[in-house]
Amino acid sequence: MELTAAGPIREIHTAGIPDLAWSTGPISYEYHFGGRGLFDTIVAGSWMLDGSLFGADTTTLAVEGAELLGMEIGMPGPEFAERRAGLGPIWKQLIDDGDLDWPTVKGVLERSEKASWLNPAVDAGTYYIHALAVTPAARGTGVGYRLIQDAIERATESGFAKLQLDVLSDNPAVAFYEAVGLELLAETRAPEPMAYGIPPEYRMGMVL
């Protein structure tokens, strides 16, 4: 198994990225997007677009030959908002092509705004892990540990003072993050997402 920057091999692994991204918070993404169809389209489009939220340019992949085992998407904290805005061209293209109407997009944006209160702002000087996921077949084999340790090492070498991430409080990954040294920094709730069934979100982190 090796870890590699995703950019040069993005086209090989495009099909597997939506599954990995979805696995990090299914109920949250269902609330945002209304199901897998639109979510998969947005993530696949973002994967090919540098500067966007799920862009390959900010992703490290764990691979074994041609097999995708896992991924870590991480960035400087303030870049998160910029990359979210970077999804705009994908929405516009879907509307222009007639694949999506504006009321649907408006609904996603409104729900995303309400859910954004679950995620505190990330300070400058903080490396933010937007998504870390391992395929079902590779879980329990150390892939996740390798990915997060690599992120910690890269963040430290790059001069970041902190590393942080957000995770739903009922996600089994909470125990994993605690085991590698992250601590609970905040627990956030938002009324409408919680009414939908989204549990409180944990901001977890460590000083590097």
Side-chain angles (χ1 to χ4, degrees):
M1 191 265 289
E2 65 174 327
L3 304 184
T4 182
I9 57 172
R10 73 176 74 198
E11 293 185 3
I12 300 173
H13 297 292
T14 300
I17 299 304
D19 280 342
L20 284 172
W22 181 265
S23 73
T24 64
I27 192 168
S28 179
Y29 286 130
E30 183 180 273
Y31 169 76
H32 280 75
F33 293 92
R36 281 296 301 265
L38 180 55
F39 175 84
D40 285 11
T41 298
I42 295 298
V43 171
S46 177
W47 178 247
M48 302 303 293
L49 181 63
D50 289 352
S52 61
L53 197 55
F54 295 92
D57 62 316
T58 195
T59 302
T60 298
L61 296 180
V63 297
E64 182 102 48
E67 182 182 3
L68 176 63
L69 304 179
M71 71 173 185
E72 180 265 328
I73 301 177
M75 62 203 69
E79 195 175 293
F80 179 83
E82 299 170 13
R83 286 183 171 271
R84 184 170 58 187
L87 296 173
I90 302 172
W91 294 110
K92 183 178 184 303
Q93 189 64 54
L94 288 171
I95 292 173
D96 290 347
D97 291 345
D99 297 325
L100 201 59
D101 57 30
W102 172 242
T104 299
V105 175
K106 186 172 182 288
V108 173
L109 296 179
E110 288 176 349
R111 291 190 296 274
S112 294
E113 177 65 21
K114 291 173 181 176
S116 70
W117 293 101
L118 292 169
N119 306 119
V122 188
D123 296 334
T126 299
Y127 182 85
Y128 180 70
I129 296 179
H130 169 49
L132 191 151
V134 176
T135 62
R139 290 171 191 165
T141 65
V143 173
Y145 180 79
R146 284 280 305 277
L147 283 166
I148 197 166
Q149 286 298 324
D150 178 72
I152 292 169
E153 291 170 10
R154 284 186 287 105
T156 302
E157 291 170 1
S158 297
F160 289 96
K162 303 173 184 178
L163 178 143
Q164 295 179 4
L165 55 81
D166 292 309
V167 58
L168 294 177
S169 56
D170 66 350
N171 192 323
V174 170
F176 166 72
Y177 293 135
E178 290 175 335
V180 297
L182 277 68
E183 63 176 325
L184 177 62
L185 304 175
E187 179 180 332
T188 52
R189 302 165 184 265
E192 184 173 304
M194 286 192 69
Y196 186 83
I198 298 176
E201 187 123 29
Y202 287 165
R203 169 62 57 85
M204 302 186 72
M206 66 191 313
V207 175
L208 299 174

